Amino acid sequence: DQGRLHYRTHLKEQIIALNLQNNVRIVDHCNDMAAAYKLADMVINPSIVPEAFGRVIVEAQAMKTPIIASELGAPIDLICDGKTGWLFPAGNIHKLSQLIQYVLNLDIVTRKKIGIEARDQVVKYYSNTVMCQKTLELYYRIIEEKKE
């Protein structure tokens, strides 16, 4: 809740009102996010404001955990819809609920295939080695442009 106690209280009330106490957990800070992602059936990133980079998305994908995210900002570039995760129009709770149900009903083979595709994408584009190399390439390009 990041200190937004009213927000947390509202979420808890909604969970109770919808009788989801056995399905939804609100947890405090977690020091082992890799384990949290591995334990999750899916990760949902329902942003209504565009994000510059969706760290949660890439972290979930790195752990082969299915991800559903708003089709807004970074997720558009990070998720290949239906292949490495799923996108839905921001604020469209009907589509989000359909995707949640779809992911919960996936067979293990399909779930693993999507998880592997997602992780492969993370390794290809977002590993420390790749990101450092791309940063250095950018610096070299800027230096060369300054020389001209």
Side-chain angles (χ1 to χ4, degrees):
D1 61 28
Q2 300 172 334
R4 298 175 290 192
L5 298 180
H6 177 71
Y7 176 66
R8 185 183 185 113
T9 301
H10 177 70
L11 287 176
K12 286 182 176 181
E13 289 169 354
Q14 289 294 312
I15 291 166
I16 292 167
L18 296 170
N19 196 28
L20 294 172
Q21 302 91 315
N22 294 326
N23 303 91
V24 178
R25 299 278 186 268
I26 297 176
V27 296
D28 290 324
H29 178 76
C30 177
N31 288 323
D32 189 354
M33 285 307 298
Y37 286 123
K38 288 303 282 182
L39 289 170
D41 292 319
M42 74 185 77
V43 172
I44 302 168
N45 188 29
S47 296
I48 56 172
V49 177
E51 296 179 41
F53 183 76
R55 187 183 85 207
V56 168
I57 294 166
V58 174
E59 288 174 348
Q61 290 175 323
M63 299 310 299
K64 301 179 186 175
T65 302
I67 178 83
I68 300 172
S70 301
E71 199 171 45
L72 187 66
I76 295 169
D77 296 322
L78 300 173
I79 296 173
C80 179
D81 195 32
K83 186 175 179 186
T84 62
W86 296 268
L87 297 167
F88 71 97
N92 187 332
I93 59 172
H94 179 69
K95 179 65 175 174
L96 173 57
S97 65
Q98 287 178 329
L99 284 171
I100 291 169
Q101 190 64 48
Y102 174 77
V103 173
L104 288 173
N105 289 323
L106 283 176
D107 62 88
I108 192 69
V109 173
T110 303
R111 182 182 289 264
K112 282 186 177 185
K113 181 180 177 193
I114 288 170
I116 290 168
E117 289 279 343
R119 178 160 173 78
D120 288 349
Q121 177 179 292
V122 168
V123 170
K124 182 176 179 180
Y125 295 109
Y126 303 106
S127 69
N128 285 341
T129 303
V130 170
M131 291 181 73
C132 287
Q133 181 61 39
K134 289 196 178 292
T135 300
L136 287 173
E137 289 171 5
L138 176 62
Y139 289 163
Y140 292 141
R141 192 168 68 237
I142 290 170
I143 290 168
E144 288 301 315
E145 290 175 3
K146 292 287 184 186
K147 288 181 181 178
E148 296 174 358

